[in-house]
Amino acid sequence: MSADPKTLFDKLWEAHEVVPETQAAPALLYIDLHLIHEVTSPQAFTELQTRGLPVRRPDLTFATLDHSTPTTPRAPGSKPIYANPAAQNQVERLEENCRRNGIRLAGWDSDDRGIVHVIGPELGLTQPGMTIVCGDSHTATHGAFGALAFGIGTTEVGHVLATQSLLQRKPKTMRVHVDGELRAGVGAKDLILAIIAELGAGGAAGHVIEYAGPGVEALSMEERMTVCNMSIEAGARAGIIAPDQTTFDWIEGRKYAPKGAAFEAARRRWSQLKTDPGATFDAEVRIDASAIAPMVTWGDSPDMAAPVDASAPQPGEGEAAEALAYMGFKPGEALLGEKIDAVFVGSCTNARLSDLREAAAVMAGRHVKVGVRMLVVPGSQAVKRAAEAEGLDAIFTTAGAEWREPGCSMCIAMNGDSGKPGELVVSTSNRNFAGRQGKGVRTVLASPATAAASAVAGAIADPRRILEASHAQ
Amino acid sequence: MPSEPITKIRSNAFTLREPNIDTDQIIPARFLTTTERGALADACFRDWRFDDDGQPNGHPLNARDPETARILIAGDNFGCGSSREHAPWALKDFGFDAVITSRAADIFKSNALKNGLVVCEVDEASHAALLDRAGEPVEVNVIDQTVTYGNNQASFKLEPFARTCLIEGVDPMGYILGQSAAIARFEKGRAA
Ligand code: SF4
């Protein structure tokens, strides 16, 4: 045991303190990577312009177009068709702001474009030991690499653009220790939904969560990103996982990752990034991965989640009763078999190649139930290319699903992709808030496998049954 | 930019009892395509206030007097969800100067305080009592960090720097720019 055992979070924090915090003022934290997109940046650029300030480190800033961008299939070179002029104006504003300030932009013509939290890791921009911020609450995704990554507001986007630093109070720490391994048909999405159900929607407020234990070490990088992505749904500031060989293997060779000797030096540095034995956390939670079943949400908050073969709860308090009423579920009735209208496979939670493979494994040789609409939206151009190279797009389209251009799409429904009032949508995204996928739309959060199984059944379905049937054949 | 100091807010209470009011309720995502500031009053709680045919409905938010009911008493875990600063912008544009709740989401709170929307997290008993005081006068004192209603008083705690910014009109951007030398030293130290 070292003299002064530290958590991984402590190490990340201390390495970025420009000025330590005092009673009167928060710490000034240096930011290694600032990711920006069209929705939360325009007012920040305006602020800099009004004050006559330059962007301090355009070289540490990277932009993409994802939130208000259309995902309708588009012939190469043809112009995108926006949902409305405001969306177009917002995208053009970011293009102009990037041009004027010398900021790299994965724009319309870039092979790198995609959802901000999918492309950061994919391009090797996201690296262990970094501080990463973005005007988007799912920035915690990048914590899967052992980076301290969190969402900020637009005023703070302005602070980072102008100064590459941020005023922050040191958050508390929580360790979620995962024992055991996930069973067949159960994925990282189910694990994080189970964790959020355990912690509650505000249960980790003010904390940074470190996910640890054999159940986390066994996860692939894609799965770790899915877990860290939804940390905010338990109220956490960030989620982190200590980097290991899985992490290093994933990063090596990526576009912006260090190369050759520089990579070896970085790998040695990154290997130090772990919580020391004996370090203490403000809170500790233990979860048994082997006890988790495929999860679905039954209410309008992500912590209202239950095993897919469970029943909707008996309403104890008013909150659960109101949530059930919004969802149109009867207390105590089985969730399996609830008729659905649409399925969305996409978002920064579940639109990486492994997610699409998981959904395709269920869809192969099957068909989307008549009357159900299914949208498959890859997380990035790179994911789209890779999926097409192995024929996943054909599996989806043959099954009757729509294969789209990358973007946030129905996760936030601000680009024209949305459900209709009253529709029940099974979605691999991260939020089931009332109206999140369009006014009056009812959202059930689930894994890609569960979403695909539900598309086939036309109702909430257990992917294990379909997968067992496939194996039996 | 430095802003007008905010030390005291006196107004009538407006209540929304629901817990977990998330930022998608405060401002639905389809209104996030704006590139400007200061025009989000219509978007605030839009889907609570308007029917599917676009007509205002009977929700109490539509009957509220924005001149006299500027303090929102809201259910637990207010402002959870996304980091959109459009949420506090919309609440300000709609005419709220303070939100009193038992617990507010981290990013929302930080965003709100940067925009002169005071967020007061009070104890559960006071919170319950305040939720029953719709229409009654409430005073939020940022200097003492107290909420006064009738003969009762509850206390809340603001992050000290955010409080200083509110009561002295300090501009955080100016404050950080004042540390430029330290930032440059840090960058140099790492490059070495
Ligand atoms: S996919 Fe959804 S959660 Fe992810 S960045 Fe886009 S809008 Fe945010």
Side-chain angles (χ1 to χ4, degrees):
Chain A
M1 199 191 287
S2 62
D4 180 18
K6 290 188 168 114
T7 64
L8 168 57
F9 164 75
D10 289 330
K11 295 180 186 180
L12 295 170
W13 181 270
E14 285 167 16
H16 292 87
E17 269 178 332
V18 175
V19 181
E21 78 176 8
T22 62
Q23 165 61 28
L28 192 62
L29 213 59
Y30 196 77
I31 301 305
D32 296 321
L33 176 64
H34 187 195
L35 299 167
I36 58 177
H37 60 82
E38 70 273 25
V39 178
T40 53
S41 66
Q43 294 87 350
F45 279 106
T46 305
E47 183 76 11
L48 261 69
Q49 233 180 333
T50 313
R51 295 177 184 246
L53 295 168
V55 174
R56 183 180 177 96
R57 295 296 299 267
D59 57 321
L60 302 184
T61 314
F62 195 95
T64 187
L65 308 173
D66 53 4
H67 282 67
S68 33
T69 56
T71 62
T72 34
R74 189 169 64 97
S78 68
K79 287 228 176 305
I81 298 162
Y82 292 90
N84 52 56
Q88 176 166 3
N89 173 47
Q90 197 170 51
V91 166
E92 289 173 356
R93 184 72 79 86
L94 181 60
E95 291 172 333
E96 186 195 320
N97 281 328
C98 288
R99 219 173 12 247
R100 220 184 11 228
N101 293 287
I103 293 169
R104 291 165 293 176
L105 166 70
W108 279 119
D109 300 326
S110 169
D111 288 343
D112 296 339
R113 195 183 66 79
I115 304 173
V116 61
H117 310 310
V118 175
I119 67 164
E122 200 169 73
L123 294 172
L125 289 163
T126 300
Q127 293 167 22
M130 283 183 160
T131 43
I132 302 176
V133 297
C134 173
D136 188 286
S137 56
H138 293 96
T139 307
T141 313
H142 308 264
F145 291 80
L148 177 60
F150 52 92
I152 56 176
T154 297
T155 298
E156 292 175 319
V157 170
H159 293 169
V160 179
L161 285 173
T163 70
Q164 203 59 32
S165 28
L166 203 55
L167 289 167
Q168 288 287 305
R169 286 283 173 194
K170 196 171 182 178
K172 296 199 195 108
T173 55
M174 175 186 285
R175 176 159 56 189
V176 174
H177 185 99
V178 184
D179 288 310
E181 283 198 29
L182 295 170
R183 290 169 184 260
V186 182
K189 180 63 159 291
D190 303 307
L191 170 61
I192 188 62
L193 282 172
I195 292 172
I196 295 163
E198 171 83 21
L199 295 175
H207 290 74
V208 166
I209 299 176
E210 178 175 347
Y211 301 96
V216 171
E217 285 157 23
L219 299 176
S220 70
M221 276 327 294
E222 285 86 350
E223 292 171 319
R224 294 180 191 186
M225 285 188 253
T226 300
V227 169
C228 287
N229 174 274
M230 289 187 72
S231 303
I232 182 84
E233 262 47 79
R237 282 299 272 139
I240 43 178
I241 294 174
D244 58 13
Q245 197 56 42
T246 306
T247 322
F248 310 145
D249 290 346
W250 205 87
I251 296 173
E252 190 169 12
R254 295 194 178 261
K255 189 166 175 179
Y256 296 104
K259 305 274 163 17
F263 182 81
E264 285 315 313
R267 186 211 297 266
R268 277 193 297 279
R269 225 174 36 247
W270 295 341
S271 306
Q272 310 300 312
L273 295 169
K274 47 167 135 316
T275 291
D276 297 328
T280 53
F281 291 79
D282 296 299
E284 297 249 17
V285 176
R286 292 190 93 92
I287 301 267
D288 179 7
S290 64
I292 295 172
M295 300 285 287
V296 289
T297 55
W298 51 262
D300 59 357
S301 173
D303 60 336
M304 295 172 168
V308 66
D309 48 7
S311 305
Q314 297 291 347
E317 303 145 56
E319 197 188 333
E322 276 169 36
L324 282 176
Y326 179 80
M327 292 304 292
F329 297 158
K330 288 187 203 66
E333 95 182 316
L335 296 165
L336 276 178
E338 263 327 315
K339 292 266 174 296
I340 62 168
D341 302 289
V343 170
F344 170 60
V345 174
S347 90
C348 58
T349 313
N350 282 128
R352 285 170 284 269
L353 185 60
S354 58
D355 300 311
L356 302 186
R357 283 182 182 150
E358 182 183 317
V362 173
M363 302 299 293
R366 298 191 172 82
H367 204 276
V368 177
K369 184 85 172 179
V370 177
V372 172
R373 180 170 180 234
M374 182 178 186
L375 233 65
V376 185
V377 185
S380 69
Q381 291 292 356
V383 169
K384 181 166 183 270
R385 278 192 305 275
E388 288 173 353
E390 52 186 78
L392 302 186
D393 58 325
I395 293 178
F396 291 121
T397 51
T398 307
E402 292 177 45
W403 178 247
R404 296 293 198 110
E405 286 292 314
C408 297
S409 183
M410 267 182 86
C411 174
I412 187 164
M414 62 178 292
N415 72 331
D417 300 348
S418 67
K420 294 186 197 64
E423 281 190 340
L424 190 63
V425 180
V426 177
S427 177
T428 67
S429 55
N430 42 51
R431 287 193 173 133
N432 52 349
F433 298 152
R436 169 87 175 181
Q437 297 193 295
K439 189 173 179 181
V441 175
R442 303 170 295 144
T443 302
V444 173
L445 301 178
S447 72
T450 303
S454 303
V456 171
I460 295 178
D462 189 335
R464 291 171 301 189
R465 298 201 189 155
I466 285 199
L467 291 167
E468 278 159 21
S470 304
H471 289 145
Q473 276 162 22
Chain B
M1 305 282 150
S3 48
E4 283 296 303
I6 299 172
T7 53
K8 226 180 244 184
I9 300 160
R10 273 192 71 86
S11 189
N12 293 340
F14 183 86
T15 58
L16 292 173
R17 314 189 68 95
E18 295 85 342
N20 301 320
I21 295 178
D22 59 77
T23 53
D24 277 275
Q25 310 311 311
I26 300 170
I27 177 168
R30 62 184 187 279
F31 297 105
L32 303 185
T33 48
T34 174
T35 52
E36 312 299 331
R37 292 278 302 268
L40 295 177
D42 283 350
C44 191
F45 287 112
R46 180 74 188 198
D47 292 341
W48 290 22
R49 293 164 49 217
F50 288 80
D51 286 333
D52 289 345
D53 59 4
Q55 294 305 309
N57 59 26
H59 197 285
L61 278 162
N62 286 328
R64 157 185 167 272
D65 177 357
E67 292 305 313
T68 59
R70 301 183 68 85
I71 296 181
L72 173 62
I73 322 278
D76 184 56
N77 198 28
F78 185 79
C80 59
S82 89
S83 61
R84 61 187 71 158
E85 200 160 318
H86 310 70
W89 292 341
L91 289 165
K92 278 294 275 185
D93 290 353
F94 194 64
F96 286 119
D97 294 328
V99 179
I100 303 174
T101 177
S102 42
R103 183 173 51 162
D106 290 336
I107 309 182
F108 173 81
K109 198 167 30 179
S110 145
N111 284 338
L113 294 171
K114 290 185 178 68
N115 288 280
L117 178 68
V118 182
V119 179
C120 320
E121 292 168 303
V122 298
D123 64 277
E124 279 177 28
S126 309
H127 181 234
L130 278 156
L131 278 172
D132 289 334
R133 298 221 168 210
E136 295 181 29
V138 172
E139 182 179 291
V140 170
N141 185 320
V142 183
I143 296 178
D144 301 344
Q145 303 185 88
T146 53
V147 173
T148 309
Y149 54 103
N151 296 322
N152 308 290
Q153 197 165 69
S155 62
F156 62 91
K157 267 217 137 22
L158 295 176
E159 192 283 303
F161 183 75
R163 174 173 164 274
T164 308
C165 290
L166 286 175
I167 60 185
E168 293 176 13
V170 171
D171 160 35
M173 176 79 99
Y175 173 88
I176 306 174
L177 288 168
Q179 317 261 4
S180 294
I183 297 170
R185 259 199 315 277
F186 183 92
E187 286 177 330
K188 223 171 135 208
R190 297 186 111 198

